[in-house]
């Protein structure tokens, strides 16, 4: 019985390492702390698309997905205008593995899909906040070794793409 418990624990520890190795890299998004009297967390979406044009793949979308009624959380997603035009309006929300709640200021890491083929891509992150600004930051990357960084001015502090 004790051997079985040990084997189970070792297997549980190995699973995160396998899933982390199965990504092309990571996207790091930093939301800044703004000194405002009434701060509302931004809606944020991130996507990757081929640099020469092509279908965009949504990596994440953070919004008030629990809000329902006359003004559901999805109502304001169109304020993320670039993402909305690229892939947002055709995405069925909430999307498993993509949708999440709005985030407080801090740095968040999102894995890039493992099935991306070698080539040039653009990783974009867009943020919009009620009674606030809207901002789009794009980072060009080349796979298989994605490394790139860009900074925003108001709603996004830093966006970085790194290789695994």
């Amino acid at each position: 019985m004790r051997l079985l418990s040990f084997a189970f624990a070792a297997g549980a520890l190995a699973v995160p390492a396998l899933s982390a190795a199965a990504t092309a890299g990571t996207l790091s998004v930093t939301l800044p702390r703004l000194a405002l009297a009434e701060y509302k967390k931004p809606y944020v979406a991130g996507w990757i698309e081929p640099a020469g044009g092509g279908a965009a793949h949504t990596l994440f979308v953070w919004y008030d997905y629990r809000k329902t009624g006359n003004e559901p959380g999805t109502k304001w997603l169109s304020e993320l205008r670039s993402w909305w035009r690229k892939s947002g309006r055709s995405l069925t929300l909430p999307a498993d593995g993509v949708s999440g709640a709005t985030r407080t200021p801090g740095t968040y890491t999102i894995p890039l899909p493992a099935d991306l083929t070698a080539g040039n891509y653009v990783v974009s992150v867009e943020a919009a906040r009620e009674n606030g600004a809207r901002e789009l930051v794009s980072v060009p990357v080349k796979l298989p070794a994605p490394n790139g960084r860009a900074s925003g001015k108001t709603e996004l502090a830093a966006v970085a793409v790194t290789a695994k």
Side-chain angles (χ1 to χ4, degrees), residues 48-101:
I48 188 167
E49 61 188 316
H57 174 79
T58 298
L59 300 172
F60 69 93
V61 58
W62 301 331
Y63 67 101
D64 193 355
Y65 67 91
R66 289 188 179 167
K67 188 174 182 183
T68 59
N70 292 337
E71 293 188 355
T74 54
K75 177 180 179 179
W76 305 108
L77 284 173
S78 62
E79 291 298 312
L80 299 168
R81 293 178 184 162
S82 296
W83 170 77
W84 187 254
R85 289 182 194 123
K86 294 280 184 180
S87 67
R89 66 176 132 205
S90 62
L91 189 63
T92 302
L93 294 168
D96 191 30
V98 174
S99 297

Side-chain angles (χ1 to χ4, degrees), residues 7-138:
F8 176 73
L13 292 174
V15 171
L18 290 174
S19 63
T23 66
T26 59
L27 167 63
S28 174
V29 177
T30 302
L31 301 177
R33 182 167 304 280
L34 302 174
L36 301 171
E38 186 179 341
Y39 177 81
K40 303 224 180 189
K41 295 184 259 182
Y43 279 25
V44 184
W47 68 96
I48 188 167
E49 61 188 316
H57 174 79
T58 298
L59 300 172
F60 69 93
V61 58
W62 301 331
Y63 67 101
D64 193 355
Y65 67 91
R66 289 188 179 167
K67 188 174 182 183
T68 59
N70 292 337
E71 293 188 355
T74 54
K75 177 180 179 179
W76 305 108
L77 284 173
S78 62
E79 291 298 312
L80 299 168
R81 293 178 184 162
S82 296
W83 170 77
W84 187 254
R85 289 182 194 123
K86 294 280 184 180
S87 67
R89 66 176 132 205
S90 62
L91 189 63
T92 302
L93 294 168
D96 191 30
V98 174
S99 297
T102 55
R103 304 290 205 271
T104 58
T107 300
Y108 302 91
T109 303
I110 300 96
L112 295 177
D115 61 350
L116 292 172
T117 59
N120 295 318
Y121 292 88
V122 176
V123 176
S124 299
V125 177
E126 186 174 20
R129 191 172 41 83
E130 184 180 345
N131 300 322
R134 176 180 303 106
E135 189 164 34
L136 172 66
V137 174
S138 296

Side-chain angles (χ1 to χ4, degrees), residues 1-22:
M1 181 68 160
R2 188 169 194 194
L3 182 60
L4 182 60
S5 298
F6 177 73
F8 176 73
L13 292 174
V15 171
L18 290 174
S19 63

